[in-house]
Amino acid sequence: MTPLDDDQVRFNGRRFVEQKTQNLARTLQMRPTAWKTFAALIGVVSLMGCGSPPPATPLPTVAKVDLDRYLGAWYEIALVPNRFQAQCVADTQARYRLDGADIEVFNRCRQVDGSVSDAIGVAKVVPGSGNAKLRVSFFRPFYGDYWVLALPTDYRWVLVGEPTRRYGWILSRSPQMLPEDLQAAMARAQTLGYERSAFRLTPQTQTIP
């Protein structure tokens, strides 16, 4: 038997649910008490219709990350804007430390009113990735990808992304990044399929204690 690809699976599943929905509508003759069941099936059809986006070109990571050297403080220099950091306007920082077999992630940023927003999460290394791929969660049990895409030998900056390229970050060990380092990180991101123009600079005005 030939395995079905994702599009075939979504099409067959959608057709099956549509047929069941039509049969249910005829059987129940759309009585008011049947609407909840009918609406639920319509919702399933809609979700199947959306499906997942086509897989992007494979995204390579660095070969290996020395976690002991990677731990500590990082400053966000640029990012591809995302909804879960929408409240942050400046001074975004991350601190990583070992917590047993996991890594504690402590993020801080300054909001538009000057107050500081904190978030604590956990990161788990993906086995066989050379520590270059992590799964990070701030709202367990939901995890997101954190892939190290570029990292110079002295670990002074890092390009972080994930396989869909919808999210990306450029972090530095210091609040101010050398222009040539920023250009190198941007160039690498572009080579890997990111749009250079998608990145927005993050102001670093003062260190948050």
Side-chain angles (χ1 to χ4, degrees), residues 105-122:
V105 181
F106 180 53
N107 288 351
R108 310 193 82 183
C109 73
R110 198 170 303 282
Q111 303 180 104
V112 68
D113 62 358
S115 63
V116 174
S117 174
D118 295 336
I120 298 177
V122 62

Side-chain angles (χ1 to χ4, degrees), residues 54 71 99 129 163-164:
L71 299 175
D99 184 13
S129 68
T164 70

Side-chain angles (χ1 to χ4, degrees), residues 9 63 74 124 146 157 176 209:
V9 171
W74 291 92
K124 298 178 180 293
Y146 178 112
W157 60 265
Q176 307 303 322

Side-chain angles (χ1 to χ4, degrees), residues 15-79:
R15 184 172 59 183
F16 171 79
V17 177
E18 286 172 348
Q19 290 172 347
K20 291 297 184 183
T21 301
Q22 292 167 1
N23 292 340
L24 178 64
R26 287 195 294 268
T27 301
L28 299 175
Q29 297 181 343
M30 302 309 295
R31 294 193 298 270
T33 55
W35 272 106
K36 287 185 179 181
T37 303
F38 184 76
L41 283 175
I42 289 293
V44 172
V45 172
S46 299
L47 289 174
M48 286 187 170
C50 294
S52 56
T57 304
L59 185 62
T61 66
V62 299
K64 187 176 181 180
V65 175
D66 183 337
L67 286 182
D68 287 335
R69 297 181 63 195
Y70 195 82
L71 299 175
W74 291 92
Y75 298 86
E76 182 183 277
I77 304 301
L79 82 160

